[in-house]
mmCIF file of all heavy atoms in Angstrom:
data_model
loop_
_atom_site.group_PDB
_atom_site.id
_atom_site.type_symbol
_atom_site.label_atom_id
_atom_site.label_comp_id
_atom_site.label_asym_id
_atom_site.label_seq_id
_atom_site.Cartn_x
_atom_site.Cartn_y
_atom_site.Cartn_z
ATOM 1 N N GLN A 259 148.206 100.402 59.083
ATOM 2 C CA GLN A 259 149.161 99.290 59.188
ATOM 3 C C GLN A 259 148.743 98.306 60.268
ATOM 4 O O GLN A 259 148.842 97.099 60.098
ATOM 5 C CB GLN A 259 150.541 99.835 59.538
ATOM 6 C CG GLN A 259 151.282 100.359 58.363
ATOM 7 C CD GLN A 259 152.658 100.830 58.788
ATOM 8 O OE1 GLN A 259 152.893 101.144 59.957
ATOM 9 N NE2 GLN A 259 153.551 100.884 57.860
ATOM 10 N N ILE A 260 148.270 98.853 61.405
ATOM 11 C CA ILE A 260 147.905 97.964 62.508
ATOM 12 C C ILE A 260 146.710 97.108 62.128
ATOM 13 O O ILE A 260 146.686 95.900 62.367
ATOM 14 C CB ILE A 260 147.571 98.799 63.759
ATOM 15 C CG1 ILE A 260 148.818 99.499 64.248
ATOM 16 C CG2 ILE A 260 147.007 97.935 64.852
ATOM 17 C CD1 ILE A 260 148.535 100.461 65.342
ATOM 18 N N LEU A 261 145.689 97.743 61.499
ATOM 19 C CA LEU A 261 144.495 96.964 61.178
ATOM 20 C C LEU A 261 144.777 95.941 60.094
ATOM 21 O O LEU A 261 144.127 94.904 60.022
ATOM 22 C CB LEU A 261 143.372 97.911 60.734
ATOM 23 C CG LEU A 261 142.817 98.776 61.859
ATOM 24 C CD1 LEU A 261 141.902 99.833 61.307
ATOM 25 C CD2 LEU A 261 142.062 97.917 62.851
ATOM 26 N N LEU A 262 145.769 96.225 59.230
ATOM 27 C CA LEU A 262 146.081 95.292 58.151
ATOM 28 C C LEU A 262 146.878 94.108 58.633
ATOM 29 O O LEU A 262 146.974 93.099 57.955
ATOM 30 C CB LEU A 262 146.903 96.010 57.079
ATOM 31 C CG LEU A 262 146.106 96.719 56.003
ATOM 32 C CD1 LEU A 262 147.074 97.405 55.071
ATOM 33 C CD2 LEU A 262 145.291 95.735 55.235
ATOM 34 N N LYS A 263 147.452 94.231 59.828
ATOM 35 C CA LYS A 263 148.481 93.278 60.215
ATOM 36 C C LYS A 263 147.992 91.842 60.232
ATOM 37 O O LYS A 263 148.677 90.947 59.793
ATOM 38 C CB LYS A 263 148.991 93.649 61.606
ATOM 39 C CG LYS A 263 150.438 93.473 61.773
ATOM 40 C CD LYS A 263 150.881 94.136 63.034
ATOM 41 C CE LYS A 263 152.196 93.546 63.466
ATOM 42 N NZ LYS A 263 152.227 92.194 63.808
ATOM 43 N N HIS A 264 146.801 91.633 60.791
ATOM 44 C CA HIS A 264 146.384 90.244 60.963
ATOM 45 C C HIS A 264 145.324 89.837 59.967
ATOM 46 O O HIS A 264 144.596 88.888 60.199
ATOM 47 C CB HIS A 264 145.844 90.056 62.385
ATOM 48 C CG HIS A 264 146.924 90.186 63.405
ATOM 49 N ND1 HIS A 264 147.929 89.288 63.531
ATOM 50 C CD2 HIS A 264 147.160 91.147 64.325
ATOM 51 C CE1 HIS A 264 148.743 89.671 64.488
ATOM 52 N NE2 HIS A 264 148.309 90.790 64.990
ATOM 53 N N GLN A 265 145.203 90.571 58.878
ATOM 54 C CA GLN A 265 144.179 90.217 57.904
ATOM 55 C C GLN A 265 144.712 89.176 56.954
ATOM 56 O O GLN A 265 145.887 89.156 56.610
ATOM 57 C CB GLN A 265 143.779 91.458 57.104
ATOM 58 C CG GLN A 265 143.017 92.475 57.909
ATOM 59 C CD GLN A 265 141.766 91.912 58.474
ATOM 60 O OE1 GLN A 265 141.120 91.079 57.853
ATOM 61 N NE2 GLN A 265 141.407 92.335 59.665
ATOM 62 N N VAL A 266 143.809 88.332 56.513
ATOM 63 C CA VAL A 266 144.218 87.274 55.587
ATOM 64 C C VAL A 266 144.416 87.848 54.192
ATOM 65 O O VAL A 266 145.442 87.644 53.555
ATOM 66 C CB VAL A 266 143.125 86.174 55.550
ATOM 67 C CG1 VAL A 266 143.485 85.135 54.543
ATOM 68 C CG2 VAL A 266 142.985 85.565 56.922
ATOM 69 N N ASN A 267 143.428 88.603 53.748
ATOM 70 C CA ASN A 267 143.511 89.151 52.398
ATOM 71 C C ASN A 267 143.805 90.628 52.508
ATOM 72 O O ASN A 267 142.910 91.451 52.656
ATOM 73 C CB ASN A 267 142.175 88.919 51.682
ATOM 74 C CG ASN A 267 142.266 89.335 50.236
ATOM 75 O OD1 ASN A 267 143.226 89.951 49.823
ATOM 76 N ND2 ASN A 267 141.255 88.973 49.480
ATOM 77 N N LYS A 268 145.120 90.963 52.448
ATOM 78 C CA LYS A 268 145.497 92.327 52.755
ATOM 79 C C LYS A 268 145.013 93.309 51.699
ATOM 80 O O LYS A 268 144.654 94.439 52.007
ATOM 81 C CB LYS A 268 147.009 92.425 52.923
ATOM 82 C CG LYS A 268 147.498 91.682 54.148
ATOM 83 C CD LYS A 268 148.817 92.270 54.636
ATOM 84 C CE LYS A 268 149.532 91.402 55.619
ATOM 85 N NZ LYS A 268 148.928 90.906 56.755
ATOM 86 N N ASN A 269 145.005 92.892 50.447
ATOM 87 C CA ASN A 269 144.616 93.840 49.397
ATOM 88 C C ASN A 269 143.159 94.226 49.526
ATOM 89 O O ASN A 269 142.796 95.393 49.403
ATOM 90 C CB ASN A 269 144.854 93.217 48.021
ATOM 91 C CG ASN A 269 146.323 93.143 47.727
ATOM 92 O OD1 ASN A 269 147.054 94.060 48.046
ATOM 93 N ND2 ASN A 269 146.764 92.046 47.149
ATOM 94 N N LEU A 270 142.322 93.209 49.787
ATOM 95 C CA LEU A 270 140.897 93.473 49.910
ATOM 96 C C LEU A 270 140.646 94.408 51.095
ATOM 97 O O LEU A 270 139.910 95.390 50.997
ATOM 98 C CB LEU A 270 140.167 92.139 50.113
ATOM 99 C CG LEU A 270 138.648 92.224 50.182
ATOM 100 C CD1 LEU A 270 138.128 92.736 48.872
ATOM 101 C CD2 LEU A 270 138.069 90.865 50.490
ATOM 102 N N TYR A 271 141.304 94.084 52.199
ATOM 103 C CA TYR A 271 141.080 94.905 53.385
ATOM 104 C C TYR A 271 141.621 96.300 53.185
ATOM 105 O O TYR A 271 141.056 97.284 53.683
ATOM 106 C CB TYR A 271 141.747 94.248 54.604
ATOM 107 C CG TYR A 271 141.134 94.671 55.898
ATOM 108 C CD1 TYR A 271 139.923 94.155 56.321
ATOM 109 C CD2 TYR A 271 141.756 95.610 56.714
ATOM 110 C CE1 TYR A 271 139.354 94.538 57.506
ATOM 111 C CE2 TYR A 271 141.188 96.009 57.903
ATOM 112 C CZ TYR A 271 139.992 95.466 58.290
ATOM 113 O OH TYR A 271 139.432 95.856 59.456
ATOM 114 N N SER A 272 142.715 96.395 52.449
ATOM 115 C CA SER A 272 143.287 97.716 52.229
ATOM 116 C C SER A 272 142.349 98.580 51.410
ATOM 117 O O SER A 272 142.174 99.779 51.695
ATOM 118 C CB SER A 272 144.643 97.549 51.552
ATOM 119 O OG SER A 272 145.077 98.759 51.054
ATOM 120 N N SER A 273 141.692 97.973 50.390
ATOM 121 C CA SER A 273 140.745 98.777 49.618
ATOM 122 C C SER A 273 139.537 99.152 50.476
ATOM 123 O O SER A 273 138.963 100.228 50.331
ATOM 124 C CB SER A 273 140.300 98.025 48.373
ATOM 125 O OG SER A 273 139.688 96.820 48.735
ATOM 126 N N PHE A 274 139.161 98.259 51.389
ATOM 127 C CA PHE A 274 138.071 98.569 52.314
ATOM 128 C C PHE A 274 138.445 99.750 53.193
ATOM 129 O O PHE A 274 137.663 100.686 53.394
ATOM 130 C CB PHE A 274 137.789 97.315 53.142
ATOM 131 C CG PHE A 274 136.910 97.517 54.321
ATOM 132 C CD1 PHE A 274 135.590 97.903 54.181
ATOM 133 C CD2 PHE A 274 137.390 97.307 55.605
ATOM 134 C CE1 PHE A 274 134.774 98.068 55.276
ATOM 135 C CE2 PHE A 274 136.573 97.465 56.705
ATOM 136 C CZ PHE A 274 135.267 97.852 56.536
ATOM 137 N N LEU A 275 139.696 99.725 53.699
ATOM 138 C CA LEU A 275 140.123 100.797 54.588
ATOM 139 C C LEU A 275 140.200 102.132 53.860
ATOM 140 O O LEU A 275 139.945 103.179 54.455
ATOM 141 C CB LEU A 275 141.478 100.471 55.205
ATOM 142 C CG LEU A 275 141.461 99.430 56.319
ATOM 143 C CD1 LEU A 275 142.863 99.216 56.834
ATOM 144 C CD2 LEU A 275 140.574 99.865 57.446
ATOM 145 N N ASP A 276 140.558 102.085 52.571
ATOM 146 C CA ASP A 276 140.619 103.336 51.812
ATOM 147 C C ASP A 276 139.313 104.088 51.922
ATOM 148 O O ASP A 276 139.269 105.307 51.984
ATOM 149 C CB ASP A 276 140.862 103.047 50.321
ATOM 150 C CG ASP A 276 142.292 102.641 50.068
ATOM 151 O OD1 ASP A 276 143.150 103.034 50.859
ATOM 152 O OD2 ASP A 276 142.533 101.927 49.080
ATOM 153 N N VAL A 277 138.216 103.309 51.904
ATOM 154 C CA VAL A 277 136.911 103.945 51.892
ATOM 155 C C VAL A 277 136.472 104.335 53.299
ATOM 156 O O VAL A 277 135.873 105.380 53.519
ATOM 157 C CB VAL A 277 135.890 102.929 51.307
ATOM 158 C CG1 VAL A 277 134.514 103.487 51.392
ATOM 159 C CG2 VAL A 277 136.277 102.586 49.908
ATOM 160 N N VAL A 278 136.807 103.502 54.251
ATOM 161 C CA VAL A 278 136.116 103.561 55.534
ATOM 162 C C VAL A 278 136.926 104.258 56.620
ATOM 163 O O VAL A 278 136.362 104.866 57.534
ATOM 164 C CB VAL A 278 135.791 102.102 55.950
ATOM 165 C CG1 VAL A 278 135.431 102.018 57.378
ATOM 166 C CG2 VAL A 278 134.686 101.586 55.112
ATOM 167 N N LEU A 279 138.228 104.190 56.518
ATOM 168 C CA LEU A 279 139.040 104.592 57.668
ATOM 169 C C LEU A 279 138.892 106.075 57.987
ATOM 170 O O LEU A 279 138.761 106.478 59.142
ATOM 171 C CB LEU A 279 140.507 104.252 57.404
ATOM 172 C CG LEU A 279 141.398 104.324 58.630
ATOM 173 C CD1 LEU A 279 140.924 103.369 59.684
ATOM 174 C CD2 LEU A 279 142.824 104.002 58.254
ATOM 175 N N ARG A 280 138.906 106.897 56.925
ATOM 176 C CA ARG A 280 138.874 108.337 57.208
ATOM 177 C C ARG A 280 137.608 108.756 57.942
ATOM 178 O O ARG A 280 137.692 109.464 58.948
ATOM 179 C CB ARG A 280 139.034 109.099 55.910
ATOM 180 C CG ARG A 280 138.977 110.594 56.129
ATOM 181 C CD ARG A 280 139.859 111.323 55.217
ATOM 182 N NE ARG A 280 141.223 110.907 55.364
ATOM 183 C CZ ARG A 280 142.225 111.484 54.739
ATOM 184 N NH1 ARG A 280 141.992 112.481 53.934
ATOM 185 N NH2 ARG A 280 143.450 111.069 54.903
ATOM 186 N N PRO A 281 136.409 108.376 57.501
ATOM 187 C CA PRO A 281 135.237 108.818 58.266
ATOM 188 C C PRO A 281 135.236 108.296 59.697
ATOM 189 O O PRO A 281 134.855 109.013 60.613
ATOM 190 C CB PRO A 281 134.039 108.255 57.477
ATOM 191 C CG PRO A 281 134.566 107.680 56.261
ATOM 192 C CD PRO A 281 136.030 107.683 56.270
ATOM 193 N N PHE A 282 135.670 107.061 59.893
ATOM 194 C CA PHE A 282 135.652 106.540 61.246
ATOM 195 C C PHE A 282 136.681 107.210 62.120
ATOM 196 O O PHE A 282 136.496 107.349 63.320
ATOM 197 C CB PHE A 282 135.862 105.017 61.232
ATOM 198 C CG PHE A 282 134.588 104.257 61.088
ATOM 199 C CD1 PHE A 282 134.064 104.022 59.846
ATOM 200 C CD2 PHE A 282 133.910 103.818 62.197
ATOM 201 C CE1 PHE A 282 132.875 103.343 59.709
ATOM 202 C CE2 PHE A 282 132.718 103.133 62.077
ATOM 203 C CZ PHE A 282 132.194 102.894 60.820
ATOM 204 N N CYS A 283 137.794 107.631 61.514
ATOM 205 C CA CYS A 283 138.807 108.291 62.341
ATOM 206 C C CYS A 283 138.341 109.635 62.841
ATOM 207 O O CYS A 283 138.912 110.171 63.785
ATOM 208 C CB CYS A 283 140.094 108.491 61.550
ATOM 209 S SG CYS A 283 141.140 107.056 61.636
ATOM 210 N N ARG A 284 137.292 110.194 62.216
ATOM 211 C CA ARG A 284 136.817 111.469 62.726
ATOM 212 C C ARG A 284 136.113 111.284 64.070
ATOM 213 O O ARG A 284 135.955 112.223 64.826
ATOM 214 C CB ARG A 284 135.864 112.099 61.712
ATOM 215 C CG ARG A 284 136.571 112.568 60.477
ATOM 216 C CD ARG A 284 135.585 113.044 59.466
ATOM 217 N NE ARG A 284 135.226 114.416 59.683
ATOM 218 C CZ ARG A 284 135.861 115.441 59.155
ATOM 219 N NH1 ARG A 284 136.907 115.242 58.392
ATOM 220 N NH2 ARG A 284 135.452 116.670 59.387
ATOM 221 N N ILE A 285 135.664 110.059 64.326
ATOM 222 C CA ILE A 285 134.971 109.815 65.594
ATOM 223 C C ILE A 285 135.949 109.372 66.671
ATOM 224 O O ILE A 285 135.954 109.891 67.774
ATOM 225 C CB ILE A 285 133.893 108.744 65.409
ATOM 226 C CG1 ILE A 285 132.877 109.208 64.391
ATOM 227 C CG2 ILE A 285 133.222 108.448 66.718
ATOM 228 C CD1 ILE A 285 131.749 108.260 64.237
ATOM 229 N N THR A 286 136.747 108.384 66.335
ATOM 230 C CA THR A 286 137.667 107.887 67.345
ATOM 231 C C THR A 286 138.899 107.340 66.665
ATOM 232 O O THR A 286 138.829 106.862 65.550
ATOM 233 C CB THR A 286 137.011 106.779 68.181
ATOM 234 O OG1 THR A 286 137.985 106.230 69.054
ATOM 235 C CG2 THR A 286 136.513 105.677 67.293
ATOM 236 N N ARG A 287 140.032 107.421 67.362
ATOM 237 C CA ARG A 287 141.243 106.847 66.788
ATOM 238 C C ARG A 287 141.800 105.722 67.644
ATOM 239 O O ARG A 287 142.947 105.355 67.525
ATOM 240 C CB ARG A 287 142.301 107.942 66.621
ATOM 241 C CG ARG A 287 142.108 108.668 65.316
ATOM 242 C CD ARG A 287 142.673 110.028 65.292
ATOM 243 N NE ARG A 287 144.039 110.092 65.708
ATOM 244 C CZ ARG A 287 144.614 111.226 66.056
ATOM 245 N NH1 ARG A 287 143.923 112.330 66.052
ATOM 246 N NH2 ARG A 287 145.869 111.246 66.427
ATOM 247 N N ARG A 288 140.956 105.159 68.462
ATOM 248 C CA ARG A 288 141.461 104.077 69.303
ATOM 249 C C ARG A 288 141.364 102.765 68.565
ATOM 250 O O ARG A 288 140.343 102.451 67.955
ATOM 251 C CB ARG A 288 140.624 103.973 70.562
ATOM 252 C CG ARG A 288 140.887 105.074 71.498
ATOM 253 C CD ARG A 288 140.418 104.682 72.844
ATOM 254 N NE ARG A 288 140.266 105.837 73.672
ATOM 255 C CZ ARG A 288 139.734 105.820 74.865
ATOM 256 N NH1 ARG A 288 139.290 104.694 75.349
ATOM 257 N NH2 ARG A 288 139.640 106.915 75.566
ATOM 258 N N VAL A 289 142.400 101.969 68.683
ATOM 259 C CA VAL A 289 142.471 100.740 67.900
ATOM 260 C C VAL A 289 141.365 99.779 68.303
ATOM 261 O O VAL A 289 140.722 99.154 67.466
ATOM 262 C CB VAL A 289 143.841 100.079 68.098
ATOM 263 C CG1 VAL A 289 143.919 98.800 67.306
ATOM 264 C CG2 VAL A 289 144.922 101.015 67.663
ATOM 265 N N ASN A 290 141.122 99.641 69.611
ATOM 266 C CA ASN A 290 140.154 98.638 70.026
ATOM 267 C C ASN A 290 138.749 98.995 69.546
ATOM 268 O O ASN A 290 138.008 98.140 69.068
ATOM 269 C CB ASN A 290 140.177 98.435 71.544
ATOM 270 C CG ASN A 290 140.126 99.727 72.314
ATOM 271 O OD1 ASN A 290 140.158 100.808 71.737
ATOM 272 N ND2 ASN A 290 140.044 99.637 73.627
ATOM 273 N N GLU A 291 138.408 100.285 69.600
ATOM 274 C CA GLU A 291 137.063 100.657 69.176
ATOM 275 C C GLU A 291 136.909 100.554 67.666
ATOM 276 O O GLU A 291 135.882 100.098 67.166
ATOM 277 C CB GLU A 291 136.755 102.073 69.654
ATOM 278 C CG GLU A 291 136.567 102.107 71.158
ATOM 279 C CD GLU A 291 136.493 103.502 71.698
ATOM 280 O OE1 GLU A 291 136.697 104.455 70.915
ATOM 281 O OE2 GLU A 291 136.227 103.647 72.899
ATOM 282 N N LEU A 292 137.962 100.947 66.932
ATOM 283 C CA LEU A 292 137.865 100.886 65.475
ATOM 284 C C LEU A 292 137.744 99.447 64.991
ATOM 285 O O LEU A 292 136.952 99.149 64.093
ATOM 286 C CB LEU A 292 139.102 101.518 64.838
ATOM 287 C CG LEU A 292 139.061 103.016 64.673
ATOM 288 C CD1 LEU A 292 140.361 103.491 64.084
ATOM 289 C CD2 LEU A 292 137.919 103.404 63.767
ATOM 290 N N SER A 293 138.528 98.554 65.580
ATOM 291 C CA SER A 293 138.496 97.191 65.051
ATOM 292 C C SER A 293 137.145 96.539 65.281
ATOM 293 O O SER A 293 136.662 95.808 64.408
ATOM 294 C CB SER A 293 139.628 96.347 65.632
ATOM 295 O OG SER A 293 139.617 96.414 67.019
ATOM 296 N N THR A 294 136.505 96.810 66.441
ATOM 297 C CA THR A 294 135.182 96.209 66.623
ATOM 298 C C THR A 294 134.147 96.886 65.759
ATOM 299 O O THR A 294 133.212 96.242 65.287
ATOM 300 C CB THR A 294 134.714 96.312 68.088
ATOM 301 O OG1 THR A 294 135.156 97.541 68.619
ATOM 302 C CG2 THR A 294 135.233 95.172 68.902
ATOM 303 N N ALA A 295 134.307 98.183 65.501
ATOM 304 C CA ALA A 295 133.295 98.857 64.694
ATOM 305 C C ALA A 295 133.393 98.471 63.232
ATOM 306 O O ALA A 295 132.386 98.429 62.518
ATOM 307 C CB ALA A 295 133.436 100.375 64.848
ATOM 308 N N LEU A 296 134.638 98.198 62.771
ATOM 309 C CA LEU A 296 134.803 97.919 61.345
ATOM 310 C C LEU A 296 134.452 96.485 60.992
ATOM 311 O O LEU A 296 134.271 96.158 59.822
ATOM 312 C CB LEU A 296 136.254 98.206 60.929
ATOM 313 C CG LEU A 296 136.620 99.683 60.924
ATOM 314 C CD1 LEU A 296 138.081 99.841 60.566
ATOM 315 C CD2 LEU A 296 135.775 100.427 59.934
ATOM 316 N N LEU A 297 134.374 95.630 62.008
ATOM 317 C CA LEU A 297 134.171 94.209 61.700
ATOM 318 C C LEU A 297 132.865 93.922 60.961
ATOM 319 O O LEU A 297 132.892 93.294 59.899
ATOM 320 C CB LEU A 297 134.223 93.430 63.019
ATOM 321 C CG LEU A 297 134.648 91.977 62.957
ATOM 322 C CD1 LEU A 297 135.990 91.837 62.302
ATOM 323 C CD2 LEU A 297 134.689 91.406 64.365
#
Side-chain angles (χ1 to χ4, degrees):
Chain A
Q259 279 182 337
I260 294 172
L261 290 170
L262 272 178
K263 219 167 159 296
H264 292 292
Q265 290 301 325
V266 176
N267 186 350
K268 293 205 194 308
N269 288 320
L270 183 63
Y271 203 77
S272 166
S273 60
F274 168 65
L275 284 180
D276 285 334
V277 175
V278 164
L279 193 60
R280 179 146 301 186
F282 272 85
C283 274
R284 290 174 85 90
I285 299 184
T286 174
R287 275 156 52 197
R288 287 199 198 173
V289 179
N290 49 355
E291 289 170 354
L292 275 178
S293 53
T294 36
L296 290 177
L297 206 56

